[in-house]
Amino acid sequence: MTNTRMFLTMLFGAVFRRRSRASMAVVASMVGAATLFCLAAVCLEVPRQMNQEMRAYGANLVVTPIQQAGQSRQGIEPGMVSHTTEMVTAKAPARHATYRYESVRVNAGSHMMAGIDAEQVCQLNHHWNVDGEWPKAGSVMVGRDLADALGLKPGSRITVSYRASDNADDAPVEGTASGAEQSDARQTADAQSESHSASGASSGGSGHMHGMAGMHDNSGQSNEQAQAQNLAQQGSQAPVDESIAKDAQESGMELRVGGIVDTGGSEDQIIYASLHDMEALTGAKRGSDVIEYSVDAMGPDLSAIAKSINEMTSMGVTARTVARITSGDTHTITMLQTLFWLVSIVVLVLTFVGVGTTMASIVSQRRSEIGLRKALGASSGSIGAEFYAESALYGFLGGLIGTALGYLFARLLCTSVFQRSLGFSWWLALTSVLLSIAISVVASIRPVHRASRIDPALVLREE
């Protein structure tokens, strides 16, 4: 019989001869593994699912240009958009969309028009309810509130005109405007913020965030909104086609209403057009006023991305995060994470004590056996290896059964309390089993040390 076979025979013989003690060690490991797996699955999976759901409701990171006093508004050039996007996607997967804002006239009334890439915006904002088509050459998409006010519906035609005076270079910029001008700009942005926040509350806190939207971010939104609003009301542009631009500015551009967008937010007061039509109307090409990102990151990871952009002052842009999880959801996540750590510590201690006590009892019962083996020439190392292997086996069995039970409990908890499905995480299961084995082995160190110090002469004399 080989040494390995002899070792396994002794190991399994020791386990099955003392099934009651072995069961206690397995149960201790099982309870610990089940509790830890259940809590970890819920505390990790629920916030991840919530983050993914929030990504469907628009951006969680917004980038705007830094406007210096006395400088004309050029926006964020395409090259800088690409560079910023590369910085973001290097840290986490993300989608993005760009927006250019201009003040235009419709039926002598002043309204905001956004030049967009329809495909980008559509991919970023799945929650937008569009009746009709997205903007394309010759057609626009109008917000629901504005469409109702103007009596528009899909298929209607409107004449949009552009006046340079509505987008004057001397429009106030945050930090450079006079008090009265700054106050007016902020009142406009705050009014939109209140409207959007009220509608967002009724729809579960969802809504699209752009330079003018009233979503909340970590830094306080009123000043940022005022800045974006002011950016949209300035203008120094490079000419594109002077003949087309002159006709559009003097007589207006007739466009077809391709669709009506309903978001329940401030987007419902905006006209969305293709960038080509925007450039033809204004007679100018320039950069974007806002870049929105839907980043697959949250919390500190998302803040770190914004910080890395803000630290690159040479880029001429500033980034801020957007909180798309309601305060109630945030409180729930915080409570889950706190509960996870507290219960995890308690469970680890109890598992450690349970396995350690059981192994100490096993060592005490086997003193005569250990003494006899040492008298026959067995080394302390071989005896210790057997006990460590025995405790690892208890940890493996307990971890395996506990992980299975933990998954069932976690799935039941997610379904009944959070109304969410829960998939099986193999890496979490592997971690749970390995942690259970590690705790069992560590808990056996003291009992094994006592076993290795047994004096065979004293034990045999007692017998």
Side-chain angles (χ1 to χ4, degrees):
M1 181 179 292
T2 63
N3 291 337
T4 302
R5 186 176 178 183
M6 176 64 75
F7 178 81
L8 293 177
T9 300
M10 295 176 64
L11 174 63
F12 286 106
V15 171
F16 287 106
R17 282 197 307 270
R18 297 170 177 83
R19 288 188 291 272
S20 60
R21 299 289 182 182
S23 299
M24 292 176 60
V26 171
V27 168
S29 297
M30 180 187 70
V31 172
T35 306
L36 291 178
F37 184 88
C38 177
L39 288 174
V42 172
C43 294
L44 295 177
E45 186 64 18
V46 170
R48 187 188 68 81
Q49 289 186 10
M50 293 177 68
N51 182 49
Q52 288 182 340
E53 291 175 3
M54 291 304 104
R55 289 187 66 202
Y57 290 101
N60 55 4
L61 180 68
V62 177
V63 176
T64 54
I66 298 175
Q67 186 70 17
Q68 301 295 334
Q71 290 185 352
S72 60
R73 181 165 58 104
Q74 298 297 330
I76 308 173
E77 297 299 331
M80 185 54 65
V81 172
S82 299
H83 178 62
T84 306
T85 302
E86 289 175 0
M87 289 185 63
V88 174
T89 54
K91 303 291 182 64
R95 297 189 299 269
H96 79 283
T98 58
Y99 301 82
R100 172 187 172 182
Y101 295 105
E102 302 289 352
S103 180
V104 297
R105 297 282 179 135
V106 178
N107 294 343
S110 181
H111 303 285
M112 190 60 60
M113 174 178 278
I116 63 172
D117 182 320
E119 184 177 354
Q120 288 181 347
V121 178
C122 180
Q123 289 295 321
L124 194 67
N125 301 282
H126 296 292
H127 69 288
W128 283 17
N129 182 19
V130 178
D131 178 15
E133 301 175 344
W134 284 77
K136 58 183 180 181
S139 69
V140 295
M141 181 174 69
V142 183
R144 169 61 63 187
D145 293 345
L146 183 58
D148 291 343
L150 299 178
L152 301 175
K153 59 183 180 179
S156 301
R157 304 194 73 85
I158 59 173
T159 300
V160 181
S161 60
Y162 173 81
R163 296 183 182 180
S165 59
D166 292 339
N167 299 271
D169 284 338
D170 58 355
V173 180
E174 183 182 14
T176 65
S178 65
E181 293 169 327
Q182 190 73 286
S183 176
D184 291 340
R186 285 177 176 166
Q187 287 175 4
T188 302
D190 290 342
Q192 292 173 339
S193 175
E194 292 173 4
S195 172
H196 186 82
S197 298
S199 61
S202 64
S203 60
S206 64
H208 169 60
M209 169 65 201
H210 47 65
M212 299 165 46
M215 296 295 291
H216 297 288
D217 59 33
N218 323 6
S219 58
Q221 273 283 67
S222 60
N223 291 344
E224 296 287 354
Q225 291 167 348
Q227 182 179 13
Q229 176 78 0
N230 293 333
L231 287 173
Q233 293 177 342
Q234 299 175 26
S236 172
Q237 301 93 5
V240 204
D241 188 322
E242 294 184 359
S243 60
I244 295 178
K246 185 176 180 181
D247 291 340
Q249 293 172 14
E250 290 181 354
S251 59
M253 176 183 290
E254 187 177 8
L255 298 168
R256 175 179 173 273
V257 178
I260 307 295
V261 59
D262 189 353
T263 69
S266 59
E267 300 85 5
D268 294 353
Q269 302 173 9
I270 298 176
I271 302 171
Y272 292 92
S274 67
L275 286 172
H276 177 271
D277 287 343
M278 173 75 84
E279 292 168 357
L281 177 65
T282 61
K285 277 186 177 182
R286 65 173 182 82
S288 307
D289 293 311
V290 175
I291 315 173
E292 290 186 349
Y293 292 95
S294 179
V295 188
D296 190 10
M298 60 185 299
D301 294 335
L302 185 62
S303 298
I305 295 175
K307 182 179 179 181
S308 65
I309 295 175
N310 292 329
E311 288 176 348
M312 298 289 290
T313 56
S314 59
M315 294 172 61
V317 298
T318 181
R320 66 184 184 276
T321 59
V322 179
R324 290 202 166 275
I325 299 180
T326 65
S327 58
D329 291 334
T330 303
H331 182 62
T332 300
I333 292 174
T334 303
M335 287 181 61
L336 280 174
Q337 293 173 340
T338 303
L339 179 65
F340 170 70
W341 288 112
L342 290 177
V343 176
S344 295
I345 294 173
V346 174
V347 169
L348 287 174
V349 172
L350 293 178
T351 303
F352 184 87
V353 172
V355 175
T357 302
T358 303
M359 291 304 299
S361 176
I362 292 174
V363 168
S364 178
Q365 285 186 341
R366 295 174 62 182
R367 287 182 76 251
S368 58
E369 177 189 336
I370 295 170
L372 179 59
R373 289 177 58 187
K374 293 187 74 172
L376 294 175
S379 64
S380 297
S382 62
I383 294 174
E386 180 182 340
F387 279 104
Y388 284 134
E390 186 176 340
S391 62
L393 179 61
Y394 297 151
F396 174 75
L397 294 175
L400 205 61
I401 300 172
T403 297
L405 293 176
Y407 171 68
L408 295 178
F409 290 143
R411 188 170 182 176
L412 179 63
L413 185 63
C414 285
T415 303
S416 59
V417 178
F418 299 100
Q419 288 79 47
R420 299 172 185 274
S421 60
L422 180 67
F424 187 78
S425 174
W426 288 103
W427 72 266
L428 188 59
L430 180 62
T431 303
S432 176
V433 174
L434 292 178
L435 183 61
S436 181
I437 294 174
I439 292 175
S440 297
V441 172
V442 172
S444 303
I445 292 178
R446 187 172 180 180
V448 170
H449 180 66
R450 289 175 56 192
S452 66
R453 296 178 60 185
I454 291 178
D455 187 344
L458 292 178
V459 173
L460 293 176
R461 186 180 300 130
E462 292 174 0
E463 294 295 330

